[in-house]
Each structure stands twice: as structure tokens, then as C-alpha cells.
Amino acid sequence: MTKHYKVKLGDKAALINKLEKVGVQVDSFDIKNDKLDDTFEFTVTDPNTIKTIDTILSQSPKINQIKEQLKAMIREELKAFRNKE
């Protein structure tokens, strides 16, 4: 199982610190920074690590995942579109 994460660059330190506190070692070579997008990305293959990261992200609303931002924007657009009809 592989999961790809894309998180705001400003939340990088917070996420890495939380992961290291629970014993997940993050290799900085696996992280790709995208300064144009203001995000960083990484991929995880271990199912236990995926579960840990998902738990941390769900418990940390300040760590802002891009996917969640996109979902919220799409929902708003759909609401606006439906209201026009």
C-alpha cells in the first residue's frame, strides 16, 4: 500500500516533529519541497506508518493538507452553482 501526502510547507516542521515524537523517522531525502506551490510532498509505503500519519493529521487540524483545501473549495463551488439554478 502506498499513500502520497501533500501538505502546506508552513506545516512541515510541525508534522515532522509530531511524527518523530511517535517514533516515525522521516528521511529528508524523501521529501520534495515545492516552493512555487508552497507545499511539500512525500510518499509512504508502510501501512503502519500510513495509519500513524493519518491519525496525526486527523488530530491536528492546523496541519493543512492540500487535498482537504481542494475538497472544501469544490464543495463551495458546487453550493454556489446549485444556488444559481
Side-chain angles (χ1 to χ4, degrees):
M1 178 177 192
T2 300
K3 187 162 183 181
H4 185 76
Y5 295 92
K6 187 171 185 175
V7 182
K8 281 179 55 178
L9 195 56
D11 296 330
K12 182 179 180 180
L15 179 60
I16 290 173
N17 287 338
K18 288 182 183 215
L19 290 173
E20 288 178 348
K21 282 183 184 178
V22 295
V24 176
Q25 293 300 318
V26 180
D27 186 1
S28 61
F29 295 113
D30 294 337
I31 296 175
K32 297 176 185 170
N33 293 325
D34 186 351
K35 293 187 181 189
L36 293 175
D37 235 3
D38 197 33
T39 61
F40 73 98
E41 301 178 36
F42 60 100
T43 303
V44 179
T45 55
D46 178 48
N48 292 329
T49 304
I50 291 170
K51 186 176 179 181
T52 302
I53 293 172
D54 288 343
T55 301
I56 288 172
L57 289 173
S58 69
Q59 293 174 350
S60 305
K62 289 186 177 184
I63 296 177
N64 200 350
Q65 284 192 280
I66 300 304
K67 185 187 284 186
E68 297 305 317
Q69 283 180 336
L70 289 174
K71 285 180 185 177
M73 288 181 351
I74 291 170
R75 277 189 224 113
E76 288 175 22
E77 290 293 323
L78 287 173
K79 282 182 188 177
F81 181 74
R82 289 180 186 146
N83 290 335
K84 287 181 182 179
E85 294 178 346

Coordinates of all heavy atoms in Angstrom, one line a residue:
M1 N 0.9 -1.2 0.0 CA 0.0 0.0 0.0 C 0.9 1.2 0.0 O 1.8 1.3 0.8 CB -0.9 0.0 1.2 CG -1.8 1.2 1.3 SD -2.9 1.0 2.8 CE -4.0 2.3 2.5
T2 N 0.6 2.2 -0.9 CA 1.4 3.4 -1.0 C 0.4 4.6 -0.9 O -0.7 4.5 -1.4 CB 2.1 3.5 -2.3 OG1 3.0 2.4 -2.4 CG2 2.9 4.7 -2.5
K3 N 0.8 5.6 -0.1 CA 0.0 6.8 0.0 C 0.9 8.0 -0.2 O 2.0 8.1 0.4 CB -0.7 6.8 1.4 CG -1.7 8.0 1.5 CD -2.7 7.7 2.6 CE -3.7 8.9 2.6 NZ -4.6 8.7 3.7
H4 N 0.4 9.0 -0.9 CA 1.1 10.2 -1.2 C 0.5 11.3 -0.4 O -0.7 11.5 -0.4 CB 1.1 10.5 -2.7 CG 1.9 11.6 -3.1 ND1 3.2 11.6 -3.2 CD2 1.5 12.9 -3.4 CE1 3.7 12.8 -3.6 NE2 2.7 13.6 -3.7
Y5 N 1.3 12.1 0.2 CA 0.8 13.2 1.0 C 1.3 14.5 0.4 O 2.5 14.6 0.0 CB 1.3 13.1 2.5 CG 0.7 12.0 3.2 CD1 1.4 10.7 3.2 CD2 -0.5 12.1 3.9 CE1 0.9 9.7 3.9 CE2 -1.0 11.0 4.6 CZ -0.3 9.8 4.6 OH -0.8 8.7 5.3
K6 N 0.5 15.6 0.5 CA 0.9 16.9 0.0 C 0.4 17.9 1.1 O -0.8 18.0 1.3 CB 0.3 17.2 -1.3 CG 0.8 18.5 -2.0 CD 0.3 18.6 -3.4 CE 0.8 19.8 -4.1 NZ 0.5 19.9 -5.5
V7 N 1.3 18.6 1.7 CA 1.0 19.4 2.9 C 1.6 20.8 2.7 O 2.6 20.9 2.1 CB 1.5 18.7 4.2 CG1 1.1 19.5 5.4 CG2 1.0 17.3 4.3
K8 N 0.9 21.8 3.3 CA 1.5 23.1 3.2 C 2.9 23.2 3.8 O 3.2 22.6 4.8 CB 0.6 24.1 4.0 CG -0.7 24.5 3.3 CD -1.5 25.4 4.1 CE -0.8 26.6 4.5 NZ -1.6 27.6 5.3
L9 N 3.8 23.9 3.1 CA 5.2 24.0 3.5 C 5.3 24.6 4.9 O 6.2 24.2 5.7 CB 5.9 24.8 2.5 CG 7.4 24.8 2.5 CD1 7.9 23.4 2.3 CD2 8.0 25.6 1.4
G10 N 4.4 25.5 5.3 CA 4.5 26.1 6.6 C 4.2 25.1 7.7 O 4.6 25.4 8.9
D11 N 3.6 24.0 7.4 CA 3.3 23.0 8.4 C 4.3 21.8 8.5 O 4.1 20.9 9.2 CB 1.9 22.4 8.2 CG 0.8 23.4 8.3 OD1 1.0 24.3 9.1 OD2 -0.2 23.3 7.6
K12 N 5.4 22.0 7.7 CA 6.4 20.9 7.6 C 7.0 20.6 8.9 O 7.1 19.4 9.3 CB 7.5 21.3 6.6 CG 8.5 20.3 6.4 CD 9.5 20.8 5.3 CE 10.6 19.8 5.0 NZ 11.5 20.3 4.0
A13 N 7.5 21.6 9.6 CA 8.2 21.3 10.9 C 7.2 20.7 11.9 O 7.6 19.8 12.6 CB 8.8 22.6 11.4
A14 N 6.0 21.2 12.0 CA 5.0 20.7 13.0 C 4.8 19.2 12.7 O 4.7 18.4 13.6 CB 3.8 21.5 12.9
L15 N 4.6 18.8 11.4 CA 4.3 17.5 11.1 C 5.5 16.6 11.4 O 5.3 15.5 12.0 CB 3.9 17.3 9.6 CG 3.6 15.9 9.1 CD1 2.4 15.3 9.9 CD2 3.3 15.9 7.6
I16 N 6.6 17.0 11.0 CA 7.8 16.2 11.2 C 8.1 16.0 12.7 O 8.4 14.9 13.2 CB 9.1 16.8 10.5 CG1 8.9 16.6 9.0 CG2 10.4 16.1 11.0 CD1 9.9 17.3 8.1
N17 N 7.9 17.0 13.5 CA 8.1 16.9 14.9 C 7.1 15.9 15.5 O 7.5 15.1 16.4 CB 8.0 18.3 15.6 CG 9.1 19.2 15.3 OD1 10.2 18.7 15.0 ND2 8.9 20.5 15.5
K18 N 5.9 16.0 15.1 CA 4.9 15.1 15.7 C 5.2 13.6 15.3 O 5.0 12.7 16.1 CB 3.5 15.5 15.2 CG 3.0 16.7 15.9 CD 1.6 17.1 15.5 CE 1.2 18.4 16.2 NZ -0.2 18.5 16.6
L19 N 5.6 13.4 14.0 CA 5.9 12.1 13.6 C 7.1 11.5 14.4 O 7.1 10.4 14.8 CB 6.3 12.1 12.1 CG 5.1 12.3 11.2 CD1 5.5 12.4 9.7 CD2 4.1 11.2 11.3
E20 N 8.1 12.4 14.6 CA 9.3 11.9 15.3 C 9.0 11.6 16.8 O 9.6 10.7 17.4 CB 10.5 12.9 15.2 CG 11.0 12.9 13.8 CD 12.2 13.9 13.5 OE1 12.4 14.8 14.4 OE2 12.8 13.8 12.5
K21 N 8.0 12.3 17.4 CA 7.6 12.1 18.8 C 7.0 10.7 18.9 O 7.1 10.1 20.0 CB 6.7 13.2 19.2 CG 7.3 14.4 19.6 CD 6.3 15.4 20.2 CE 7.0 16.8 20.5 NZ 6.0 17.8 21.0
V22 N 6.3 10.2 17.9 CA 5.7 8.9 18.0 C 6.6 7.8 17.4 O 6.1 6.7 17.3 CB 4.3 8.9 17.3 CG1 3.3 9.8 18.1 CG2 4.4 9.2 15.9
G23 N 7.8 8.1 17.0 CA 8.8 7.1 16.6 C 8.9 6.9 15.1 O 9.5 6.0 14.7
V24 N 8.2 7.8 14.3 CA 8.3 7.6 12.9 C 9.5 8.5 12.4 O 9.5 9.7 12.5 CB 7.0 8.1 12.2 CG1 7.2 8.0 10.7 CG2 5.8 7.2 12.6
Q25 N 10.5 7.8 11.8 CA 11.7 8.6 11.3 C 11.4 9.0 9.9 O 11.0 8.3 9.1 CB 12.9 7.7 11.4 CG 13.4 7.3 12.8 CD 13.7 8.5 13.6 OE1 14.3 9.5 13.1 NE2 13.3 8.5 14.8
V26 N 11.6 10.3 9.7 CA 11.3 10.9 8.4 C 12.6 11.2 7.8 O 13.5 11.9 8.3 CB 10.5 12.2 8.6 CG1 10.2 12.9 7.2 CG2 9.2 12.0 9.3
D27 N 12.8 10.6 6.6 CA 14.1 10.9 5.8 C 13.9 12.1 5.0 O 13.0 12.1 4.1 CB 14.4 9.6 5.0 CG 15.7 9.7 4.3 OD1 16.4 10.7 4.5 OD2 16.0 8.8 3.5
S28 N 14.7 13.1 5.2 CA 14.5 14.4 4.5 C 14.8 14.2 3.0 O 14.3 15.0 2.2 CB 15.5 15.4 5.0 OG 16.8 15.0 4.9
F29 N 15.4 13.1 2.6 CA 15.6 12.9 1.1 C 14.4 12.5 0.4 O 14.2 12.6 -0.8 CB 16.7 11.9 0.9 CG 18.1 12.3 1.4 CD1 18.7 11.7 2.5 CD2 18.7 13.4 0.8 CE1 19.9 12.1 2.9 CE2 20.0 13.8 1.3 CZ 20.6 13.1 2.3
D30 N 13.4 12.0 1.2 CA 12.1 11.6 0.6 C 11.1 12.7 0.4 O 10.1 12.5 -0.2 CB 11.5 10.4 1.4 CG 12.4 9.2 1.4 OD1 13.1 9.0 0.5 OD2 12.2 8.4 2.4
I31 N 11.5 13.8 1.0 CA 10.5 15.0 1.0 C 10.9 15.9 -0.2 O 12.1 16.3 -0.4 CB 10.6 15.8 2.3 CG1 10.1 14.9 3.5 CG2 9.8 17.0 2.2 CD1 10.2 15.5 4.8
K32 N 9.9 16.3 -1.0 CA 10.1 17.2 -2.1 C 9.4 18.5 -1.8 O 8.2 18.5 -1.6 CB 9.5 16.6 -3.4 CG 10.2 15.3 -3.8 CD 9.6 14.7 -5.0 CE 10.3 13.4 -5.3 NZ 9.6 12.6 -6.3
N33 N 10.1 19.6 -1.7 CA 9.6 20.9 -1.5 C 9.2 21.5 -2.8 O 9.9 21.5 -3.7 CB 10.5 21.8 -0.7 CG 10.8 21.3 0.7 OD1 10.0 20.8 1.3 ND2 12.1 21.5 1.1
D34 N 8.0 22.1 -2.8 CA 7.5 22.9 -4.0 C 7.2 24.3 -3.5 O 6.2 24.6 -3.1 CB 6.3 22.2 -4.6 CG 5.9 22.9 -5.9 OD1 6.4 23.9 -6.2 OD2 5.0 22.3 -6.5
K35 N 8.3 25.1 -3.6 CA 8.1 26.5 -3.1 C 7.2 27.3 -4.0 O 6.6 28.3 -3.5 CB 9.5 27.1 -3.0 CG 10.3 26.5 -1.9 CD 11.6 27.2 -1.7 CE 12.4 26.4 -0.6 NZ 13.5 27.1 -0.1
L36 N 7.0 27.0 -5.2 CA 6.0 27.7 -6.0 C 4.6 27.5 -5.6 O 3.8 28.3 -5.6 CB 6.2 27.3 -7.5 CG 7.4 27.7 -8.2 CD1 7.5 27.1 -9.6 CD2 7.6 29.2 -8.2
D37 N 4.3 26.2 -5.2 CA 3.0 25.8 -4.7 C 2.9 26.0 -3.2 O 1.8 25.9 -2.6 CB 2.8 24.3 -4.9 CG 1.6 24.0 -5.7 OD1 0.9 25.0 -6.1 OD2 1.4 22.8 -5.9
D38 N 4.0 26.3 -2.5 CA 4.0 26.5 -1.0 C 3.6 25.2 -0.3 O 2.9 25.2 0.6 CB 3.2 27.6 -0.5 CG 3.6 28.1 0.9 OD1 4.7 27.9 1.3 OD2 2.7 28.5 1.6
T39 N 4.1 24.0 -0.9 CA 3.8 22.7 -0.3 C 5.0 21.8 -0.3 O 6.0 22.2 -0.8 CB 2.7 22.0 -1.2 OG1 3.3 21.8 -2.5 CG2 1.4 22.8 -1.3
F40 N 4.9 20.7 0.5 CA 5.9 19.7 0.4 C 5.1 18.4 0.2 O 4.0 18.2 0.6 CB 6.8 19.7 1.6 CG 6.3 19.2 2.9 CD1 6.5 17.9 3.3 CD2 5.5 20.1 3.7 CE1 6.0 17.5 4.5 CE2 5.0 19.6 4.9 CZ 5.2 18.3 5.3
E41 N 5.8 17.4 -0.4 CA 5.2 16.1 -0.7 C 6.1 15.0 -0.3 O 7.3 15.1 -0.3 CB 5.0 16.0 -2.2 CG 4.1 17.1 -2.8 CD 4.0 16.9 -4.3 OE1 3.9 15.8 -4.8 OE2 3.9 17.9 -5.0
F42 N 5.5 13.9 0.1 CA 6.2 12.7 0.4 C 5.3 11.5 0.3 O 4.1 11.6 0.3 CB 6.8 12.7 1.8 CG 5.8 12.9 3.0 CD1 5.4 11.7 3.7 CD2 5.3 14.1 3.3 CE1 4.5 11.9 4.7 CE2 4.4 14.2 4.3 CZ 4.0 13.1 5.0
T43 N 5.9 10.3 0.0 CA 5.2 9.1 -0.2 C 5.6 8.1 0.9 O 6.7 8.0 1.2 CB 5.4 8.5 -1.6 OG1 5.1 9.6 -2.6 CG2 4.6 7.3 -1.9
V44 N 4.6 7.4 1.4 CA 4.8 6.4 2.4 C 4.3 5.0 1.9 O 3.2 5.0 1.3 CB 4.1 6.8 3.7 CG1 4.3 5.7 4.8 CG2 4.5 8.1 4.2
T45 N 5.0 3.9 2.2 CA 4.6 2.6 1.7 C 4.2 1.7 2.9 O 3.5 0.7 2.6 CB 5.7 2.0 0.9 OG1 6.9 1.9 1.6 CG2 5.9 2.7 -0.4
D46 N 4.7 2.0 4.1 CA 4.4 1.1 5.2 C 3.0 1.4 5.8 O 2.7 2.5 6.1 CB 5.5 1.3 6.3 CG 5.2 0.5 7.5 OD1 5.0 -0.7 7.4 OD2 5.2 1.1 8.6
P47 N 2.2 0.3 5.8 CA 0.8 0.5 6.3 C 0.7 1.1 7.7 O -0.2 1.9 8.0 CB 0.2 -0.9 6.2 CG 1.0 -1.6 5.3 CD 2.4 -1.0 5.4
N48 N 1.6 0.7 8.6 CA 1.6 1.2 10.0 C 1.9 2.7 10.0 O 1.3 3.4 10.8 CB 2.5 0.4 10.9 CG 2.0 -1.0 11.1 OD1 0.8 -1.3 11.1 ND2 3.0 -1.9 11.2
T49 N 2.9 3.1 9.2 CA 3.2 4.5 9.1 C 2.1 5.3 8.5 O 1.8 6.4 9.0 CB 4.5 4.7 8.3 OG1 5.6 3.8 8.8 CG2 5.0 6.1 8.3
I50 N 1.4 4.8 7.5 CA 0.3 5.5 6.9 C -0.8 5.7 7.9 O -1.3 6.8 8.0 CB -0.2 4.7 5.7 CG1 0.8 4.7 4.5 CG2 -1.6 5.2 5.2 CD1 0.4 3.8 3.4
K51 N -1.1 4.7 8.7 CA -2.1 4.8 9.8 C -1.7 5.9 10.8 O -2.5 6.7 11.2 CB -2.3 3.4 10.4 CG -3.4 3.4 11.4 CD -3.6 2.0 11.9 CE -4.7 2.0 13.0 NZ -4.9 0.7 13.5
T52 N -0.4 5.9 11.2 CA 0.1 6.8 12.1 C 0.0 8.3 11.6 O -0.5 9.2 12.3 CB 1.5 6.5 12.5 OG1 1.6 5.2 13.0 CG2 2.1 7.5 13.5
I53 N 0.4 8.5 10.3 CA 0.3 9.8 9.7 C -1.1 10.2 9.6 O -1.5 11.4 9.9 CB 1.0 9.8 8.4 CG1 2.5 9.6 8.6 CG2 0.8 11.1 7.6 CD1 3.3 9.4 7.3
D54 N -2.0 9.4 9.2 CA -3.4 9.7 9.0 C -4.0 10.1 10.4 O -4.8 11.1 10.5 CB -4.2 8.6 8.4 CG -3.9 8.4 7.0 OD1 -3.4 9.3 6.3 OD2 -4.3 7.3 6.4
T55 N -3.6 9.4 11.4 CA -4.1 9.7 12.8 C -3.6 11.1 13.2 O -4.4 11.9 13.7 CB -3.7 8.6 13.8 OG1 -4.2 7.4 13.4 CG2 -4.1 9.0 15.2
I56 N -2.3 11.4 13.0 CA -1.8 12.7 13.4 C -2.4 13.8 12.6 O -2.8 14.8 13.2 CB -0.2 12.7 13.2 CG1 0.4 11.8 14.2 CG2 0.3 14.1 13.2 CD1 1.9 11.6 14.0
L57 N -2.7 13.6 11.3 CA -3.3 14.6 10.5 C -4.7 14.8 10.9 O -5.2 16.0 10.9 CB -3.2 14.3 9.0 CG -1.8 14.4 8.4 CD1 -1.8 13.8 7.0 CD2 -1.3 15.8 8.4
S58 N -5.4 13.8 11.3 CA -6.8 14.0 11.7 C -6.9 14.6 13.1 O -7.9 15.3 13.4 CB -7.6 12.6 11.7 OG -7.1 11.8 12.8
Q59 N -5.9 14.5 13.9 CA -5.9 15.1 15.3 C -5.3 16.5 15.2 O -5.3 17.2 16.3 CB -5.1 14.2 16.2 CG -5.8 12.9 16.5 CD -4.9 12.0 17.4 OE1 -3.7 12.3 17.6 NE2 -5.5 10.9 17.8
S60 N -4.7 16.9 14.1 CA -4.0 18.2 14.0 C -4.7 19.0 13.0 O -4.2 19.1 11.8 CB -2.6 18.0 13.7 OG -2.0 17.1 14.6
P61 N -5.8 19.7 13.3 CA -6.5 20.5 12.3 C -5.6 21.7 11.7 O -5.9 22.2 10.6 CB -7.7 21.0 13.0 CG -7.4 20.9 14.4 CD -6.4 19.8 14.6
K62 N -4.6 22.1 12.5 CA -3.8 23.2 12.0 C -2.8 22.7 10.9 O -2.4 23.5 10.1 CB -3.0 23.8 13.1 CG -3.8 24.5 14.1 CD -2.9 25.2 15.1 CE -3.8 26.0 16.1 NZ -3.0 26.8 17.0
I63 N -2.5 21.4 10.8 CA -1.7 20.9 9.7 C -2.6 20.8 8.5 O -3.5 19.9 8.5 CB -1.0 19.6 10.1 CG1 -0.1 19.8 11.2 CG2 -0.3 19.0 8.8 CD1 0.6 18.6 11.7
N64 N -2.4 21.6 7.5 CA -3.4 21.8 6.5 C -3.0 21.0 5.2 O -2.0 21.3 4.6 CB -3.5 23.3 6.1 CG -4.7 23.6 5.4 OD1 -5.5 22.7 5.0 ND2 -5.0 24.9 5.2
Q65 N -3.8 20.0 4.9 CA -3.5 19.2 3.7 C -4.1 19.9 2.5 O -5.3 20.3 2.6 CB -4.0 17.8 3.9 CG -3.2 16.9 4.8 CD -3.6 15.5 4.6 OE1 -4.6 15.1 5.2 NE2 -2.9 14.7 3.8
I66 N -3.5 19.9 1.4 CA -3.9 20.5 0.2 C -5.2 19.8 -0.3 O -6.2 20.4 -0.7 CB -2.9 20.4 -0.9 CG1 -1.6 21.2 -0.4 CG2 -3.4 21.0 -2.2 CD1 -1.9 22.6 -0.1
K67 N -5.3 18.5 -0.1 CA -6.4 17.7 -0.6 C -7.7 18.2 0.1 O -8.7 18.4 -0.5 CB -6.2 16.2 -0.3 CG -7.4 15.4 -0.9 CD -7.3 13.9 -0.5 CE -6.2 13.2 -1.2 NZ -6.2 11.8 -0.9
E68 N -7.6 18.5 1.4 CA -8.7 19.0 2.2 C -9.1 20.4 1.7 O -10.3 20.7 1.7 CB -8.4 18.9 3.7 CG -8.2 17.6 4.2 CD -9.3 16.6 4.0 OE1 -10.5 17.0 4.1 OE2 -9.0 15.4 3.6
Q69 N -8.1 21.2 1.4 CA -8.4 22.5 0.9 C -9.2 22.4 -0.4 O -10.2 23.1 -0.7 CB -7.1 23.3 0.6 CG -6.5 23.9 1.9 CD -5.2 24.6 1.5 OE1 -4.6 24.4 0.5 NE2 -4.8 25.5 2.4
L70 N -8.7 21.5 -1.3 CA -9.4 21.4 -2.6 C -10.8 20.9 -2.4 O -11.7 21.3 -3.1 CB -8.6 20.4 -3.5 CG -7.3 20.9 -4.0 CD1 -6.5 19.8 -4.7 CD2 -7.5 22.1 -4.9
K71 N -11.0 19.9 -1.5 CA -12.4 19.4 -1.3 C -13.3 20.5 -0.8 O -14.4 20.6 -1.3 CB -12.3 18.3 -0.3 CG -11.8 17.0 -0.8 CD -11.9 15.9 0.3 CE -11.2 14.6 -0.1 NZ -11.2 13.6 1.0
A72 N -12.8 21.4 0.1 CA -13.6 22.5 0.6 C -13.9 23.4 -0.5 O -15.1 23.9 -0.6 CB -12.9 23.1 1.7
M73 N -13.0 23.8 -1.4 CA -13.2 24.7 -2.5 C -14.2 24.1 -3.4 O -15.1 24.8 -3.9 CB -11.9 25.0 -3.2 CG -11.0 25.9 -2.3 SD -9.4 26.4 -3.1 CE -9.2 25.5 -4.5
I74 N -14.1 22.9 -3.7 CA -15.1 22.2 -4.7 C -16.5 22.2 -4.1 O -17.4 22.5 -4.8 CB -14.6 20.8 -5.0 CG1 -13.3 20.9 -5.9 CG2 -15.7 20.0 -5.7 CD1 -12.7 19.5 -6.1
R75 N -16.6 21.9 -2.8 CA -17.9 22.0 -2.1 C -18.5 23.4 -2.2 O -19.7 23.5 -2.5 CB -17.8 21.6 -0.7 CG -17.8 20.1 -0.5 CD -17.9 19.7 1.0 NE -16.9 18.7 1.2 CZ -15.8 18.8 2.0 NH1 -15.6 19.9 2.6 NH2 -15.0 17.7 2.1
E76 N -17.7 24.4 -2.0 CA -18.2 25.8 -2.1 C -18.7 26.1 -3.5 O -19.7 26.7 -3.7 CB -17.1 26.7 -1.6 CG -16.9 26.7 -0.1 CD -15.7 27.6 0.3 OE1 -15.4 28.5 -0.5 OE2 -15.1 27.3 1.3
E77 N -17.9 25.7 -4.5 CA -18.2 26.0 -5.8 C -19.5 25.3 -6.2 O -20.4 25.8 -6.9 CB -17.1 25.5 -6.8 CG -15.9 26.4 -6.7 CD -16.1 27.8 -7.2 OE1 -16.9 28.0 -8.2 OE2 -15.6 28.8 -6.6
L78 N -19.7 24.0 -5.8 CA -20.9 23.3 -6.1 C -22.1 23.9 -5.4 O -23.2 24.0 -6.0 CB -20.8 21.8 -5.6 CG -19.9 20.9 -6.5 CD1 -19.7 19.6 -5.8 CD2 -20.4 20.8 -7.9
K79 N -22.0 24.4 -4.2 CA -23.0 25.1 -3.5 C -23.4 26.3 -4.3 O -24.6 26.6 -4.5 CB -22.7 25.4 -2.1 CG -22.7 24.3 -1.1 CD -22.3 24.8 0.3 CE -22.2 23.7 1.3 NZ -21.8 24.2 2.6
A80 N -22.4 27.1 -4.7 CA -22.7 28.3 -5.4 C -23.4 28.0 -6.7 O -24.3 28.7 -7.1 CB -21.4 29.1 -5.6
F81 N -23.0 27.0 -7.4 CA -23.5 26.6 -8.7 C -25.0 26.2 -8.5 O -25.9 26.5 -9.3 CB -22.7 25.5 -9.3 CG -23.2 25.0 -10.6 CD1 -23.1 25.8 -11.8 CD2 -23.9 23.8 -10.8 CE1 -23.5 25.4 -13.0 CE2 -24.4 23.4 -12.0 CZ -24.2 24.2 -13.1
R82 N -25.2 25.4 -7.5 CA -26.6 24.9 -7.2 C -27.5 26.1 -6.8 O -28.7 26.1 -7.1 CB -26.6 23.9 -6.1 CG -26.0 22.6 -6.5 CD -26.0 21.5 -5.4 NE -25.3 20.3 -5.8 CZ -24.6 19.6 -5.0 NH1 -24.5 19.9 -3.7 NH2 -24.0 18.5 -5.5
N83 N -27.0 27.0 -6.1 CA -27.8 28.2 -5.7 C -28.2 29.1 -6.8 O -29.2 29.8 -6.8 CB -27.1 29.0 -4.6 CG -27.0 28.2 -3.3 OD1 -27.9 27.3 -3.0 ND2 -26.1 28.5 -2.4
K84 N -27.4 29.1 -7.9 CA -27.7 29.9 -9.1 C -28.8 29.3 -9.9 O -29.5 30.1 -10.5 CB -26.5 30.0 -10.0 CG -25.4 30.8 -9.5 CD -24.2 30.9 -10.4 CE -23.1 31.7 -9.9 NZ -21.9 31.7 -10.8
E85 N -29.1 28.0 -9.8 CA -30.1 27.4 -10.5 C -31.5 27.6 -10.0 O -31.9 27.9 -9.0 CB -29.9 25.9 -10.6 CG -28.6 25.6 -11.4 CD -28.4 24.1 -11.5 OE1 -29.0 23.3 -10.7 OE2 -27.6 23.7 -12.3

